[in-house]
Amino acid sequence: MTGTGQVIHLQGGRCSVVLDARATGLPVVVYWGPALGETDPGALEALCEAATPPVPHSAPDSPGWLSLLPQHSEGYAGLPGLEGHRGEGGAWAFRFEPTELAMPEGSTLVVDAADADAGLALRSELSISEAGMLRMRHVLRNDGRTPYAVQALRCCLPLPAHASELLDLTGRWCLERQPQRHPLVQGSWRRDSRRGRTGHDATLGLLAGTPGFGFRHGQVWAAHVAWSGNHQTFAERLPDGTGMLGGGELILPGEIRLAPGEEYAAPWLCAAYSSDGIDGISAVFHDWLRARDGHPRSPRPVVLNTWEAVYFDHDLDRLRALADEAARIGVERFVLDDGWFRGRRDDTAGLGDWFVDETTWPQGLHPLVEHVTGLGMQFGLWVEPEMVNPDSDLYRAHPDWVLAASGRLPPSWRHQQVLDLANPDAFGYVLERLDALLDEYAIAFLKWDHNRDLVDAGHDGRPGVHAQTLATYRLLDELRRRHPGLEIESCASGGARVDLGILERTDRVWASDSNDALDRQAIQRWTGVFLPPELIGAHVGPPRSHTTGRVHDSSFRAATALFGHAGIEWDITGADESELADLSGWIEFYKRHRGLLHTGRLVHADHPDPAALVHGVVASDGTEALFAYVQLASGSTQVPGPLRLPGLVPGTAYRVRAVHPGGQPRAVQRAAPPWMSGEDLLLSGRMLAHAGLRVPVLAPEQALLLHLVGGPSSAM
């Protein structure tokens, strides 16, 4: 469909977006919310008329609207969609007029617009997937005769008045993605990330909703910026009642300067609506991610990573023994972490010298790789290609290959600097080195780390974060093109680069450097709002956590790591036979149920006790489910209230059984609920959702797993 003068309705999943393109100027987003189902043009025009606001006193003479690109020239007084200028301040004001509207697919709208006086052209794209994922971006072109400096190019969507509460995520190293709530009052709530990578403290998404919205109730609108560099997410409420949710790249001064004819494409804003709480947002994001062509399809292999087992102490015999134990208990992928390359004895030297260390590995990595693959496991390798130590042969030869402002190095961070991948020579060197390693060794997996923020990061006299981010994307894309079977993990000192931009090029993220099961419960819970379990690395650490010092039972550590892409981060050569038996049983259970865990619908109960969590995965056809009841701390009551299990098929009868794949959780009670010592319970999904069942009085930091298998309700 082409032309103007129409109302456009995009619908996918349980969501509708309506745009009014009947007047001059950019189309106006009239509605974003529950699916309307209505396609009659007359009804849609009536909706636009019904949504037209009145004109109050002391206001523009025409009603105020939120167009695809909010502009001050339209009378909009909030955060503008575009900020920029030409020369000493020219073309700072603009008013785009559409030149063409097209719908190449029924679920996609493309609007071309221009401001001839400002010498600017704009293309806006808006699409909605079958699952209801709304994706939006702008592309700005400089059609003038002089350079144009872009300061911001934001994507914005309307929020209704009843979306009056915000939830976003913050955090730090080893405690990423912690939730915080606050009301959306008049003014702006803006989250800026200037770390050059997504950031430990970055909000993976910004959620707005009806007051008190939870995992299973309330209306929720959510937005995520699919970009791995500096970015901005915001919500706004103006005094006239207009609400807005959006985001974009955070552009540093002078970073985007368009020569005549050049374009700047803003990152995609990914947005979703749910009438069923936060779990409905998860369903949209998970379904969209799983529908991608590049989404991992093969069963997610059990991983053993060597970092917390050996750190920098690379000894062939010790690593062979570790691999032997790993294979014996069922591990499928063995990953050699930091310390294998030239001059690398600690974290102060060697980064950038991507040659196997001849002293530690006189025969190269071949003896270990052959031993690992001979045991039937895949071999993986740790790299940090975007970084360099000043104490390295690479830096001594090319100190000019570092991202730096004029004449000074940025502050040191983990004894390293950032290699300027926008420099073609530096890019070519890193690509050649990684390509050579992948050609020489049977490497199935790269753990791709990124252990510092980009601070004071200059490139050719200008800020370099934008160019660095695009260069990293190109590097990953080229390696994947040359090595199609290669899988890559995005690790950034844990979970500091978790976003849908990096996940276009990687197969999972490392959620956090903390393997403390207690901290991991929250980290994985909130990471999972946007990412499905198969994309979230989750490992069983040693009994005493290396990052917090807490000690946890094997059952709690195993139950926590089960709900992700599971693995081990532990020197299991020092584990006793009882611990190895627990691990082996847990791995067998994971392999048997990963089809459910990695394709099912993630659900959470809004549990009344803040000392406990309830979450699970329900098969897409409702025939099977796996739930965890997690006791975080001592409960406020002597006996836990009934455990209600959401997301099941109401009319299906479920056989409920407690399972203990990593060992039995500790209970503090005289007697367990009767059903646990008798035959399996048989209850309908409706009964389990509303009446629930009693669970043991668990000690703090314990988890009970329940496996449910469904059949026809007539079987009851």
Side-chain angles (χ1 to χ4, degrees):
M1 179 177 70
T2 61
T4 58
Q6 60 211 321
V7 178
I8 299 157
H9 181 201
L10 302 177
Q11 189 165 223
R14 300 169 66 184
C15 174
S16 281
V17 179
V18 177
L19 300 100
D20 189 350
R22 296 175 299 169
T24 60
L26 292 173
V28 169
V29 185
V30 174
Y31 175 85
W32 173 37
L36 299 174
E38 182 64 67
T39 58
D40 176 70
L44 292 174
E45 289 188 11
L47 171 67
C48 294
E49 296 300 321
T52 302
V55 179
H57 290 297
S58 190
D61 293 334
S62 298
W65 288 101
L66 189 69
S67 71
L68 274 179
L69 187 86
Q71 303 165 85
H72 285 173
S73 60
E74 300 169 326
Y76 184 74
L79 200 63
L82 171 63
E83 294 181 72
H85 64 89
R86 195 183 300 280
E88 297 300 317
W92 62 272
F94 26 79
R95 184 173 178 84
F96 288 100
E97 295 291 341
T99 57
E100 184 177 16
L101 273 70
M103 295 187 70
E105 302 171 15
S107 59
T108 300
L109 170 68
V110 180
V111 180
D112 286 308
D115 182 335
D117 292 335
L120 297 173
L122 181 76
R123 167 166 286 197
S124 299
E125 301 174 54
L126 190 69
S127 67
I128 193 165
S129 73
E130 290 184 8
M133 175 74 91
L134 185 63
R135 297 175 76 230
M136 180 181 182
R137 75 167 179 176
H138 302 295
V139 181
L140 183 72
R141 188 178 71 242
N142 179 13
D143 283 349
R145 297 180 179 179
T146 59
Y148 190 82
V150 182
Q151 296 168 275
L153 185 57
R154 306 178 179 99
C155 293
C156 310
L157 291 163
L159 277 180
H162 53 286
S164 59
E165 185 171 291
L166 297 178
L167 187 152
D168 61 356
L169 306 173
T170 185
R172 58 169 173 80
W173 177 70
C174 282
L175 199 64
E176 296 87 342
R177 284 169 293 287
Q178 303 297 302
Q180 55 185 13
R181 285 180 183 260
H182 43 88
L184 175 56
V185 294
Q186 289 185 20
S188 297
W189 176 258
R190 197 166 105 182
R191 292 291 305 278
D192 290 354
S193 176
R194 301 173 185 273
R195 299 187 177 277
R197 54 181 178 175
T198 320
H200 291 291
D201 61 335
T203 180
L204 184 53
L206 180 58
L207 291 80
T210 49
F213 68 89
F215 277 100
R216 303 297 298 178
H217 68 277
Q219 289 183 278
V220 186
W221 292 257
H224 165 86
V225 180
W227 179 248
S228 308
N230 294 333
H231 63 282
Q232 179 184 92
T233 315
F234 53 83
E236 189 169 53
R237 181 76 67 193
L238 299 184
D240 67 5
T242 303
M244 180 171 71
L245 183 70
E249 182 180 5
L250 193 156
I251 300 170
L252 296 176
E255 191 167 26
I256 306 296
R257 188 172 172 83
L258 300 179
E262 285 188 339
E263 292 183 342
Y264 165 67
W268 288 101
L269 182 76
C270 300
Y273 164 78
S274 166
S275 59
D276 301 315
I278 300 170
D279 277 354
I281 297 295
S282 300
V284 172
F285 273 81
H286 295 186
D287 287 351
W288 181 81
L289 284 163
R290 286 170 170 168
R292 300 171 302 157
D293 290 339
H295 192 75
R297 307 290 176 198
S298 59
R300 300 292 77 212
V302 180
V303 177
L304 186 140
N305 190 69
T306 66
W307 178 242
E308 291 192 13
V310 303
Y311 291 102
F312 291 106
D313 184 14
H314 283 203
D315 174 82
L316 178 57
D317 290 339
R318 184 180 181 188
L319 289 164
R320 278 175 170 163
L322 185 60
D324 289 340
E325 287 291 358
R328 185 165 74 91
I329 63 173
V331 169
E332 298 163 301
R333 176 179 285 167
F334 185 93
V335 181
L336 182 66
D337 211 288
D338 194 0
W340 56 268
F341 48 97
R342 190 176 289 166
R344 190 70 162 175
R345 299 294 177 269
D346 54 34
D347 65 1
T348 66
L351 275 181
D353 296 342
W354 300 112
F355 298 85
V356 178
D357 187 86
E358 299 87 349
T359 304
T360 305
W361 301 97
Q363 296 175 272
L365 296 177
H366 294 289
L368 180 62
V369 175
E370 291 166 5
H371 187 77
V372 167
T373 56
L375 292 168
M377 295 185 292
Q378 297 176 359
F379 181 79
L381 193 65
W382 179 95
V383 293
E384 194 174 2
E386 298 153 81
M387 302 296 160
V388 63
N389 285 128
D391 186 3
S392 66
D393 292 341
L394 178 65
Y395 182 84
R396 283 183 282 272
H398 299 287
D400 55 317
W401 285 7
V402 167
L403 280 175
S406 54
R408 65 173 183 270
L409 281 178
S412 181
W413 186 308
R414 203 176 182 249
H415 313 287
Q416 62 194 56
Q417 296 291 341
V418 184
L419 200 61
D420 184 0
L421 294 183
N423 179 321
D425 294 331
F427 182 97
Y429 164 79
V430 174
L431 176 60
E432 184 277 328
R433 281 288 78 225
L434 295 179
D435 190 40
L437 287 165
L438 293 167
D439 280 340
E440 182 174 357
Y441 299 105
I443 298 170
F445 174 83
L446 288 179
K447 178 181 177 180
W448 189 295
D449 217 334
H450 185 286
N451 274 306
R452 66 157 293 163
D453 288 352
L454 276 59
V455 179
D456 208 26
H459 167 77
D460 288 348
R462 292 160 61 181
V465 173
H466 175 81
Q468 180 78 359
T469 306
L470 293 179
T472 300
Y473 287 169
R474 289 197 304 273
L475 179 59
L476 287 161
D477 291 343
E478 181 60 19
L479 283 171
R480 297 292 289 265
R481 187 191 69 79
R482 296 185 185 190
H483 304 275
L486 178 69
E487 292 195 0
I488 300 175
E489 174 185 75
S490 172
C491 174
S493 42
R497 187 155 64 182
V498 175
D499 61 80
L500 299 194
I502 203 69
L503 274 167
E504 282 293 306
R505 297 150 176 94
T506 56
D507 301 277
R508 72 175 214 169
V509 298
W510 185 227
S512 178
D513 274 349
S514 176
N515 287 307
D516 180 311
L518 182 63
D519 287 345
R520 271 282 182 153
Q521 282 289 335
I523 292 167
Q524 292 173 196
R525 182 180 186 84
W526 292 99
T527 305
V529 169
F530 294 92
L531 307 188
E534 64 270 24
L535 297 182
I536 303 171
H539 291 184
V540 175
R544 182 178 293 278
S545 169
H546 286 210
T547 55
T548 67
R550 289 195 191 103
V551 176
H552 289 128
D553 295 345
S554 64
S555 62
F556 187 56
R557 286 149 42 225
T560 301
L562 185 68
F563 290 87
H565 180 179
I568 300 168
E569 198 99 4
W570 177 12
D571 184 4
I572 57 174
T573 61
D576 61 33
E577 283 302 318
S578 173
E579 291 172 318
L580 290 173
D582 285 342
L583 274 179
S584 179
W586 170 75
I587 289 172
E588 181 183 352
F589 185 88
Y590 168 78
K591 290 178 179 178
R592 194 161 63 247
H593 295 285
R594 59 187 162 191
L596 164 66
L597 289 165
H598 297 162
T599 63
R601 181 64 48 85
L602 192 64
V603 297
H604 303 81
D606 290 306
H607 195 61
D609 186 355
L613 299 176
V614 180
H615 63 88
V617 177
V618 180
S620 57
D621 61 3
T623 57
E624 188 181 9
L626 189 65
F627 278 89
Y629 172 82
V630 184
Q631 194 71 49
L632 302 173
S634 297
S636 58
T637 58
Q638 195 169 13
V639 175
L643 171 62
R644 297 184 299 160
L645 303 180
L648 301 169
V649 179
T652 294
Y654 290 92
R655 198 171 297 278
V656 184
R657 176 180 299 175
V659 290
H660 315 294
Q664 195 137 353
R666 285 184 296 120
V668 286
Q669 60 192 10
R670 292 176 58 195
W675 70 268
M676 293 194 68
S677 55
E679 295 184 358
D680 296 343
L681 277 179
L682 194 63
L683 295 170
S684 71
R686 186 175 289 106
M687 292 175 178
L688 287 165
H690 298 299
L693 72 162
R694 290 290 189 173
V695 294
V697 183
L698 295 181
E701 300 172 19
Q702 299 290 313
L704 174 70
L705 297 180
L706 299 176
H707 183 223
L708 285 68
V709 177
S713 57
S714 59
M716 294 186 62

